Amino acid sequence: QVQLVESGGGLVQAGGSLRLSCAASGRTFSTYAMGWFRQAPGKERELVADITWSGGMTYYRDSVKGRFTISRDNAKNTVYLQMSSLKSEDTAVYYCALVRVGRTEYDYWGQGTQVTVSP
């Protein structure tokens, strides 16, 4: 089993910055990648960014490219999402997720952290 604990959400004005953290514990040795998803009210959950655990390859959805940066600290089993130039449309609950080696879908999820960007 893997446990994921997020932190760092909150209220910020448009144009501001926040950094989300997600600490993984448990059977993390089989991690292939970790990612950040978000879900706004009335919308489907979407992948924001992810990073492979060994090679550090990253993916960003188009709407956050140039504004968000995902990184990881393998020694701390922690993934970060640095969010800058935040917009009101970034308002959502952000979830950390982990996919194990050999799996095709993210199979462990954090509890979510609210990010609210005020105009």
Side-chain angles (χ1 to χ4, degrees), residues 5 10 14 17 22 25 35 37 44 58 61 75 78 98 116-117 119:
V5 178
S17 299
C22 175
S25 61
F37 290 73
E44 293 187 352
T58 58
R61 70 180 304 103
T78 299
L98 180 150
T116 303
V117 184

Side-chain angles (χ1 to χ4, degrees), residues 4-108:
L4 302 176
V5 178
E6 301 120 331
S7 60
L11 173 65
V12 64
Q13 288 188 328
S17 299
L18 279 176
R19 189 177 83 153
L20 306 182
S21 300
C22 175
S25 61
R27 299 172 66 86
T28 60
F29 59 86
S30 61
T31 300
Y32 172 71
M34 291 185 70
W36 289 95
F37 290 73
R38 67 186 180 188
Q39 186 167 23
K43 295 188 177 181
E44 293 187 352
R45 185 174 61 194
E46 60 186 20
L47 175 63
V48 176
D50 65 11
I51 186 167
T52 59
W53 212 240
S54 61
M57 293 177 60
T58 58
Y59 160 83
Y60 297 93
R61 70 180 304 103
D62 286 346
S63 60
V64 307
K65 285 180 180 177
R67 300 189 298 121
F68 290 11
T69 302
I70 190 169
S71 61
R72 86 244 192 256
D73 184 330
N74 294 53
K76 296 182 178 180
N77 289 322
T78 299
V79 66
Y80 305 96
L81 186 68
Q82 178 66 48
M83 305 184 292
S84 303
S85 301
L86 283 160
K87 306 175 181 180
S88 56
E89 50 263 44
D90 295 317
T91 295
V93 178
Y94 283 71
Y95 297 91
C96 172
L98 180 150
V99 57
R100 292 174 289 168
V101 172
R103 302 282 180 166
T104 58
E105 294 182 350
Y106 281 86
D107 49 355
Y108 287 101

